[in-house]
Amino acid sequence: MLEQLINHYTDGNKANFAAMIGIKPQLLSNWLKRNTFDAELLYMKCKDISADWLLSGNGDMIRNTQNDNSQFVSQNNDPELIALCKALVENYQQRDDVMNKLVSIIKGI
């Protein structure tokens, strides 16, 4: 599994993978020799990794976030929940607009 992660995230470059996850290359080498790894660290550092795959080796290594979201929406057709999610997204968009204006003003000073 560890070799698959190294190949996927750094095209097989072990030193780059060690740097990506914030460990020394020697520790990565030890993991490979012992066939062990820190699952929690890998889950935090490897973007879009499937927790199921990491823990069991079953399923796809990379989770499909599109499918994850569509499953949530299809299983939760509560109109109130959908309205709250839409309002939250709008609030974040408004916040981002305000932040961008503030940054423009500050840079202009």
Side-chain angles (χ1 to χ4, degrees):
M1 290 173 68
L2 195 51
E3 288 282 354
Q4 287 178 283
L5 290 171
I6 294 166
N7 289 333
H8 178 79
Y9 287 99
T10 58
D11 293 326
N13 188 311
K14 293 173 182 150
N16 286 347
F17 185 79
M20 182 190 100
I21 63 172
I23 64 170
K24 293 183 178 184
Q26 294 85 351
L27 178 57
L28 180 61
S29 179
N30 287 339
W31 286 356
L32 289 165
K33 286 178 190 172
R34 295 178 183 150
N35 199 25
T36 62
F37 54 82
D38 182 338
E40 187 176 343
L41 175 68
L42 292 175
Y43 186 73
M44 289 187 319
K45 298 292 185 171
C46 296
K47 183 179 178 189
D48 295 327
I49 186 123
S50 166
D52 291 336
W53 180 85
L54 187 60
L55 295 175
S56 69
N58 296 326
D60 293 331
M61 180 174 71
I62 303 300
R63 63 189 151 117
N64 185 343
T65 54
Q66 256 186 345
N67 287 348
D68 292 346
N69 293 338
S70 63
Q71 275 184 330
F72 175 77
V73 171
S74 67
Q75 293 174 357
N76 296 288
N77 291 326
D78 182 344
E80 183 179 11
L81 177 62
I82 293 170
L84 288 170
C85 288
K86 286 181 181 180
L88 184 60
V89 168
E90 288 174 15
N91 285 338
Y92 276 112
Q93 288 171 340
Q94 289 173 354
R95 183 207 63 184
D96 288 347
D97 291 342
V98 170
M99 291 296 289
N100 288 334
K101 288 178 184 176
L102 286 170
V103 168
S104 295
I105 291 169
I106 291 170
K107 286 184 176 180
I109 294 177

